[in-house]
Amino acid sequence: MQLSHRVILAGSAIGMPVLFAAPATAQTMDVTVAIPQLKVAEYHRPYVAFWLEKAGAPAKTIAVWYDFDMKDNEGTKWLRDVRQWWRVSGRSMKFPADGVTGATRAPGTHKISFTAGKGALGTLAAGDYTLVVEASREVGGRELLRLPFSWPPKPGQTARAAGMSELGAVTIAFRR
């Protein structure tokens, strides 16, 4: 039998033991993103932003792919073209953002993982969330996908969405 929680005994100021439950293992969210190969005259890799939305809470950026290694931080100049993300979260951030910033990706399928309590994902309160993925490409278009999920996730819970132009299939899967 696998336990989903571990009971921890801690002392209190008055000498009485205090019991509380803590997760036995961290929950991990795996996000798989397909960036399609477009047949265009001038191809540029897309800037892609990933953030979480929860009703009544501020948006939480968990990853941004852009040209962060350009001279004089020149790549940040086009981050505002990822418009929805820029409005809800991006404009208030300093770049490069530790644990959030990543390089643009070539066409293909890419997987990034986020572990609860660590890094950009941090601690999530129980509730309903939406992972929002937005891509914008120079001399190209923009696309935004929304993938709703519940936290903590139920065993086997997944979410999927399919883009039409700048993004292909986007999938969330959860594991311990």
Side-chain angles (χ1 to χ4, degrees):
M1 177 172 86
Q2 181 178 0
L3 296 175
S4 63
H5 286 77
R6 188 180 300 143
V7 176
I8 299 172
L9 181 63
S12 71
I14 58 173
M16 298 294 295
V18 177
L19 292 175
F20 62 93
T25 57
Q27 195 73 30
T28 299
M29 178 172 70
D30 295 320
V31 180
T32 305
V33 179
I35 297 176
Q37 175 67 56
L38 304 176
K39 299 199 183 324
V40 294
E42 187 178 344
Y43 181 82
H44 297 273
R45 291 180 178 186
Y47 279 26
V48 182
F50 303 80
W51 72 94
L52 296 177
E53 293 179 343
K54 182 179 186 217
K60 182 177 192 167
T61 300
I62 58 174
V64 179
W65 296 345
Y66 72 100
D67 288 327
F68 69 88
D69 58 355
M70 293 179 79
K71 182 181 171 193
D72 297 327
N73 217 11
E74 187 78 15
T76 60
K77 181 165 112 177
W78 294 284
L79 282 172
R80 64 182 56 93
D81 289 344
V82 187
R83 292 182 188 162
Q84 296 299 313
W85 165 77
W86 185 255
R87 289 179 187 136
V88 300
S89 181
R91 74 173 110 209
S92 63
M93 294 182 68
K94 284 191 99 158
F95 289 96
D98 188 33
V100 173
T101 295
T104 58
R105 304 297 203 276
T109 301
H110 306 277
K111 181 178 170 183
I112 53 176
S113 298
F114 304 95
T115 301
K118 297 180 182 178
L121 191 58
T123 303
L124 296 179
D128 294 326
Y129 288 84
T130 301
L131 172 68
V132 186
V133 181
E134 183 179 14
S136 178
R137 193 171 49 84
E138 184 181 356
V139 192
R142 276 190 339 275
E143 188 160 30
L144 183 132
L145 297 175
R146 295 180 174 277
L147 294 90
F149 66 94
S150 296
W151 191 266
K154 295 174 180 84
Q157 179 179 330
T158 62
R160 292 179 175 79
M164 304 283 277
S165 58
E166 300 301 326
L167 292 167
V170 177
T171 305
I172 307 172
F174 298 91
R175 63 184 165 88
R176 287 197 183 274

